[in-house]
Amino acid sequence: MTMLSPSILSADFGSLQEEILKLERGGADFIHLDVMDGIFVPNITFGAPVIKKLRNTTKVPFDVHLMIDRPERYIKDFAEAGADIITIHEEATTHLHRTIEEIKSYGLKAGVALNPSTSLDSLEYILDYIDLVLIMTVNPGFGGQSFIRSMERKIKRMRQIIDDRKLNILIEADGGSKLDNAKEIIDYGLDMIVVGSGIFEAKDVIERTKMFKEL
């Protein structure tokens, strides 16, 4: 069964604890936390102190997505804040393997994210060391964007690579998933799907989360 990782990027930042509890009641498998620095992406969200505060709200695992420049500077901070998965961008760090090893040294799952235009070939020599590949299906930095259609081929190709090599790696997609297209996107070969505005645009967040889970 594909796991649901709702992103709080589109939630009410004035009541994040309440919003997370709604996701928990709706059956979310993970809480997706988008950390943006205004450098790697043109937006700023929150950092490790906020995540540490939110950690006491729920036992649902935290899927922390670092959309920041040189993430190796802050791995310890996010590990200590309560992350269960830390995903970094291949494009954001020079020494990808070293940073992945640091994430895993804290007993966490390590993921690598790829921007829409980044080739899967960039993962060739890191696949044996990671737990998750996050395929960005929109350009990172903002919520509410439309799914980029060419990412269908990218997800399917990633699925084929992982299956052919018999790797224990999850495939996650982030961006543009709505009720009317999420099932199709899942069927491309996903293990996890990130949904933001598709959940928080609803009046009843709990019920909308349940609807996505049913997909």
Side-chain angles (χ1 to χ4, degrees), residues 92-158:
T93 184
T94 302
H95 302 290
L96 182 59
H97 178 270
R98 180 185 296 164
T99 308
I100 291 297
E101 289 294 286
E102 183 179 359
I103 294 170
K104 295 175 78 73
S105 74
Y106 292 103
L108 308 180
K109 292 190 179 300
V112 174
L114 299 179
N115 284 339
S117 62
T118 303
S119 172
L120 295 178
D121 293 340
S122 64
L123 296 177
E124 173 64 26
Y125 300 105
I126 200 70
L127 283 176
D128 291 330
Y129 305 95
I130 62 176
D131 304 290
L132 179 145
V133 174
L134 173 56
I135 296 177
M136 293 301 302
T137 47
V138 298
N139 287 296
F142 298 95
Q145 299 180 67
S146 297
F147 181 86
I148 298 173
R149 294 304 310 176
S150 59
M151 295 304 99
E152 173 185 350
R153 300 197 309 274
K154 195 171 188 178
I155 295 170
K156 288 180 176 179
R157 178 57 182 153
M158 190 74 258

Side-chain angles (χ1 to χ4, degrees), residues 15 22 27 42 49 76 79 96 104 110 125 150 175 183 185 188 200:
S15 44
K22 291 176 185 177
K76 181 180 179 181
L96 182 59
K104 295 175 78 73
Y125 300 105
S150 59
K183 182 62 168 64
I185 297 170
Y188 296 155
F200 287 103

Side-chain angles (χ1 to χ4, degrees), residues 7 9 13 32-47 65-69 78 136 139-143 145 174:
S7 169
L9 182 62
F13 273 33
H32 192 84
L33 300 155
D34 290 303
V35 178
M36 305 181 186
D37 63 357
I39 299 172
F40 182 69
V41 293
N43 201 357
I44 297 174
T45 52
F46 46 78
H65 178 192
L66 300 184
M67 287 180 269
I68 64 176
D69 185 53
F78 287 101
M136 293 301 302
N139 287 296
F142 298 95
Q145 299 180 67
D174 183 356

